[in-house]
DNA sequence: GACTATGCGACAGCTATACA
DNA sequence: TGTATAGCTGTCGCATAGTC
């Protein structure tokens, strides 16, 4: 082993998650199993990040373990570390989506400044800035328009540009989230927008054309990020 | 080989929440 | 109010490995 492996106890101490709970997560496939069974079992150090990410996704975002497992299947190591870091840096109750995005932006900026290597995502934005502006203008009468000031395109990587585009879309949609939703849906009407073959956005209730346009653009951005290519 | 520490799988039970 | 579900949590029997 490489010395970075951990016993279950060390993993528990490092993550603050009880050993019994960690074993439960291993049995459900959320954490990697030990390299060998029995006494002296060593777990990969990456399990610490995964355990912290589970806590983050569960406590901050209310995801079920099953949903977290599905996200782990699609997530990169970098993404899992980012989720784990959000647990470390957020000791209080989770904040708004905007606060979360601000944290992501801050960490991304620091990481890029320290190690400006090419990003793993090469997706190009499929949505022209004017399209987002037009959609936001259409929604302006519905709720207060709030937008971020985009960084100059010449100084950003493609992934940073995509992140900014997604942020703009999310911020434009933020007004829809002003009323907290119940933990379980009671309405039977949903609008579903496919992102990939096994991923879709589901929005409770009917959407007007402007709202639907925004969600479709958000789905386009997510699809581009996940697949690394643009749609026709 | 005996003892001890550590870990595993299985099962039952507890708590909180949502739903009919 | 009863039932179902999710997410742990406690316990038990067993296996493995280190020490004497």
């Amino acid at each position: 082993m490489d010395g970075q492996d951990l016993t279950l106890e060390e993993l528990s101490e490092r993550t603050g998650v009880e050993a019994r709970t960690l074993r439960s997560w291993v049995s459900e496939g959320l954490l990697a199993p030990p390299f060998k069974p029995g006494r002296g079992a060593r777990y990969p150090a990456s399990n610490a990040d995964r355990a912290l990410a589970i806590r983050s996704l569960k406590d901050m975002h209310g995801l079920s373990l099953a949903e977290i497992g599905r996200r782990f299947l699609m997530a990169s190591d970098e993404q899992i570390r980012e989720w784990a870091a959000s647990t470390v840096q957020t000791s209080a109750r989770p904040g708004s989506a905007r606060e979360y995005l601000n944290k992501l932006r801050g960490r991304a900026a620091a990481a890029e400044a320290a190690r400006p290597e090419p990003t793993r995502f090469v997706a190009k934005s499929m949505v022209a800035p004017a399209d987002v502006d037009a959609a936001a203008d259409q929604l302006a009468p519905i709720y207060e328009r709030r937008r971020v000031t985009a960084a100059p395109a010449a100084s950003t990587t493609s992934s940073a540009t995509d992140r900014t585009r997604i942020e703009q879309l999310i911020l434009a949609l933020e007004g829809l989230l002003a009323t907290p939703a119940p933990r379980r849906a009671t309405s039977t009407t949903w609008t579903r927008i496919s992102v990939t073959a096994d991923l879709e956005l589901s929005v409770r209730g009917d959407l007007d054309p402007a709202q639907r346009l925004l969600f479709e653009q958000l789905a386009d951005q997510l699809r581009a990020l996940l697949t690394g290519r643009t749609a026709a």
Side-chain angles (χ1 to χ4, degrees):
Chain A
M1 304 308 166
D2 58 7
Q4 295 298 313
D5 304 331
L6 306 169
T7 65
L8 190 63
E9 184 179 4
E10 289 170 339
L11 199 56
S12 176
E13 290 175 355
R14 185 172 294 193
T15 62
V17 179
E18 286 199 19
R20 183 63 190 85
T21 300
L22 291 171
R23 280 214 301 267
S24 174
W25 291 353
V26 169
S27 69
E28 295 183 33
L30 295 175
L31 299 179
F35 295 112
K36 60 177 180 177
R39 189 185 180 187
R42 311 288 292 187
Y43 293 78
S46 60
N47 268 1
D49 282 338
R50 294 175 75 91
L52 290 172
I54 291 168
R55 284 181 55 191
S56 171
L57 293 172
K58 188 167 69 69
D59 297 342
M60 295 177 62
H61 305 287
L63 299 186
S64 67
L65 295 180
E67 175 63 24
I68 292 170
R70 282 192 288 273
R71 295 198 178 198
F72 275 3
L73 289 176
M74 300 181 63
S76 63
D77 292 343
E78 180 183 352
Q79 175 68 75
I80 291 174
R81 280 194 293 271
E82 205 163 64
W83 288 332
S86 70
T87 294
V88 173
Q89 295 183 8
T90 308
S91 56
R93 173 178 162 68
S96 65
R98 177 182 298 186
E99 289 170 342
Y100 182 64
L101 283 169
N102 285 341
K103 289 172 185 171
L104 293 183
R105 186 190 300 118
R107 284 197 297 276
E112 286 172 10
R115 188 169 54 90
E117 64 182 23
T119 57
R120 65 184 294 125
F121 296 118
V122 294
K124 294 185 175 67
S125 173
M126 300 182 302
V127 182
D131 293 338
V132 177
D133 290 345
D137 286 340
Q138 285 183 274
L139 286 171
I142 304 173
Y143 54 83
E144 180 183 1
R145 179 181 178 186
R146 288 176 288 183
R147 302 174 59 198
V148 296
T149 300
S155 63
T156 59
T157 64
S158 59
S159 66
T161 302
D162 286 337
R163 189 163 51 239
T164 301
R165 309 306 307 152
I166 292 175
E167 286 179 13
Q168 287 182 317
L169 287 164
I170 291 176
L171 288 167
L173 292 165
E174 199 174 39
L176 298 176
L177 306 177
T179 302
R183 290 192 61 177
R184 286 194 184 179
T186 54
S187 170
T188 57
T189 302
W190 289 80
T191 299
R192 304 183 190 278
I193 301 171
S194 176
V195 178
T196 65
D198 53 1
L199 177 66
E200 68 179 17
L201 292 175
S202 298
V203 185
R204 186 164 61 251
D206 294 322
L207 300 179
D208 63 34
Q211 291 171 323
R212 184 173 181 90
L213 174 62
L214 273 177
F215 276 106
E216 287 178 346
Q217 290 173 345
L218 182 59
D220 288 342
Q221 294 290 329
L222 290 174
R223 189 181 304 112
L225 279 170
L226 292 171
T227 64
R229 62 177 184 273
T230 60

